Amino acid sequence: MSNLVVDQKILPDISKPQWDQSTYSGRARHFFSSTNPLSLFSSHARQEQCREIVTNYRKGIISPTLTVSELWKAKTLYDSTFHPDSGEKMFFLGRMSAQMPGNMVITGMLLSLYRTFPGVVFSHWINQSFNAVVNYTNRSGNSKASNERLFVSYCCATGGAMTAALGLNKMVKNSHGLAARLVPFAAIALANAINIPMMRSSEVTEGMELRDENGELVGKSRKMAILSIAQVTLSRIAMAMPYMVATPIIMNRITRTAYYRTRPWMQKYSEIPIQTLLAGAGLYFTTPLCCALFPQKSCVEVGHSLQRYSLGELGRYSRQVVTMLQGAVTL
C-alpha cells in the first residue's frame, strides 16, 4: 500500500496525537517525540517547511509527494517549535524539547551547590526562573493565569524552595553524607507543591472547563480541578525523584572510593560534571515517562463533577465530557 497521504482512504487526523492516548505506552511514545531535545537543533528553514506542511494540510492543501511519515514528522517539529494557539515561534528555553538539557544543567547545580548559602540561593533562583519561562511560554491563549499570578507563583515557589533547602541544610549541618545530598530534592518537591496549585488556583475557585466530544463547553467542575492539580503535582515530583535521588546515591558512593579520595583535582572539579551527566541520563527518560502517567484528556460522568448551567442546556449533551488534566512540564 502506498504511503503517500493523497492515497490514504482516511486522511491522518493531525489535530490529535499520533499514538493512542488512552494507553500509557501511547502517551509515552507521544511525549518521547515531543520532548526530543534534538528538535532544538533544527534549522530555521526546516521549521518553516514544517509550518507550511501543517498549515497547508489543515487547509486541505496536500502535496502529491507528501508521505504519512513526513506529515507526522512535520507535525511533531511544528508542535515542538510553534505555540498551539498563536502559531508564533516559542522562545527556545520554554519549549518542551528544552526540558531535558535545561533541567540537566540546573539539576547539576542544585545537587552540587547545596552546601553553601550563595549556592542554594543561586541554584534555586535559576531553577524557578527556568520554570517561570516554561510556564509563560506554554501558557494557553485563553489562560486565566495573569502575569501577576505567574510572578506571585514564581516568588512563592522560589522562596519556598530556598527556605526548605536552607532549613534542611541546617538540620543536617556538618553532614557530608547522603542526607545532605537529598536536601535539593526535598526543596524541589515543596516548590512544586506550592507553584502548581498557585498557578491554577483559579480553576479551583471557578471550576475547570468541561467540554463534550465536539469541544463545546458544557460546564465547570471544581472537583476535577482539584484532581487535575493533584495529578500534575504528583507527576512533577515523580519526574524529579529518580535522578534527584539516584544521582546523590551514586555520587555518595563515588566519593567514598579510594580513587576519588586520593585525587584532590577530582574532588574539586568532578562533582558538577558527573552529577550533571547522571541527571541528564535520568531526565531523558523520566520527563516523557512521567508526563505520560496521566492522560491529558479524560472522560468523566456529567452527574459526578459538573456545576450545571441548566438542566435544559445539559440535556442535549452526551453522558461524558472531556477535561484537560495536565499543564506545563517543570521541575
Side-chain angles (χ1 to χ4, degrees):
M1 179 182 294
S2 173
N3 193 39
L4 295 175
V5 174
V6 292
D7 293 335
Q8 304 301 308
K9 293 182 179 180
I10 300 177
L11 293 178
D13 183 2
I14 63 172
S15 65
K16 301 176 182 178
Q18 183 177 0
W19 298 280
D20 182 9
Q21 297 299 284
S22 65
T23 66
Y24 178 75
S25 61
R27 294 194 298 272
R29 293 181 70 182
H30 168 68
F31 281 109
F32 265 110
S33 174
S34 61
T35 61
N36 184 0
L38 294 179
S39 64
L40 285 173
F41 301 100
S42 60
S43 66
H44 175 74
R46 174 59 180 162
Q47 293 168 4
E48 291 301 319
Q49 180 188 35
C50 291
R51 188 216 288 261
E52 183 179 4
I53 290 173
V54 171
T55 53
N56 284 343
Y57 186 82
R58 287 172 174 170
K59 296 175 184 177
I61 304 172
I62 305 173
S63 170
T65 61
L66 181 66
T67 65
V68 174
S69 61
E70 288 172 347
L71 173 63
W72 281 116
K73 287 179 181 178
K75 180 62 164 54
T76 298
L77 184 58
Y78 175 86
D79 288 345
S80 176
T81 307
F82 299 95
H83 195 279
D85 294 333
S86 66
E88 297 296 322
K89 184 178 291 188
M90 294 184 288
F91 180 53
F92 77 101
L93 285 179
R95 300 174 193 171
M96 287 287 289
S97 51
Q99 287 297 298
M100 191 279 277
N103 282 321
M104 177 182 72
V105 174
I106 292 171
T107 302
M109 290 192 295
L110 286 169
L111 295 177
S112 303
L113 305 179
Y114 65 92
R115 295 187 181 94
T116 65
F117 179 85
V120 169
V121 171
F122 178 74
S123 60
H124 283 284
W125 171 70
I126 288 292
N127 180 50
Q128 295 305 325
S129 297
F130 179 70
N131 291 345
V133 169
V134 174
N135 290 333
Y136 184 82
T137 302
N138 290 276
R139 188 174 55 165
S140 63
N142 59 353
S143 174
K144 296 180 181 178
S146 63
N147 291 338
E148 291 77 11
R149 177 169 295 175
L150 287 171
F151 180 73
V152 171
S153 299
Y154 162 70
C155 292
C156 290
T158 304
M162 290 180 183
T163 302
L166 293 171
L168 290 171
N169 276 344
K170 190 173 182 179
M171 292 176 61
V172 295
K173 190 177 181 180
N174 299 324
S175 172
H176 293 278
L178 183 59
R181 291 183 179 276
L182 292 176
V183 166
F185 169 67
I188 289 300
L190 177 63
N192 274 314
I194 295 172
N195 190 25
I196 296 170
M198 287 196 65
M199 280 281 298
R200 301 178 61 177
S201 59
S202 63
E203 296 176 14
V204 178
T205 56
E206 301 174 16
M208 172 179 283
E209 292 185 352
L210 305 178
R211 299 180 181 274
D212 65 8
E213 59 272 19
N214 298 316
E216 296 185 24
L217 181 67
V218 297
K220 296 182 178 181
S221 170
R222 293 192 183 99
K223 184 185 296 184
M224 291 307 300
I226 294 171
L227 175 62
S228 167
I229 292 169
Q231 289 183 347
V232 174
T233 304
L234 178 61
S235 67
R236 299 305 174 265
I237 294 174
M239 187 186 300
M241 183 181 293
Y243 60 88
M244 292 201 77
V245 173
T247 299
I249 291 174
I250 295 171
M251 194 66 209
N252 198 53
R253 294 293 298 271
I254 292 175
T255 59
R256 294 174 182 271
T257 62
Y259 185 87
Y260 182 89
R261 289 176 179 273
T262 56
R263 288 164 173 78
W265 65 268
M266 192 172 185
Q267 297 174 35
K268 188 175 182 179
Y269 300 112
S270 68
E271 194 162 323
I272 290 181
I274 289 175
Q275 295 196 119
T276 299
L277 291 175
L278 289 173
L283 276 160
Y284 180 79
F285 295 98
T286 60
T287 299
L289 292 178
C290 290
C291 282
L293 284 176
F294 304 104
Q296 287 188 295
K297 294 182 180 181
S298 291
C299 294
V300 295
E301 292 292 335
V302 173
H304 288 170
S305 61
L306 202 59
Q307 295 174 1
R308 17 178 223 185
Y309 288 158
S310 68
L311 289 175
E313 185 178 3
L314 291 179
R316 60 193 178 91
Y317 293 111
S318 63
R319 291 184 306 159
Q320 294 183 324
V321 292
V322 176
T323 179
M324 294 299 297
L325 285 186
Q326 289 205 23
V329 180
T330 56
L331 279 181

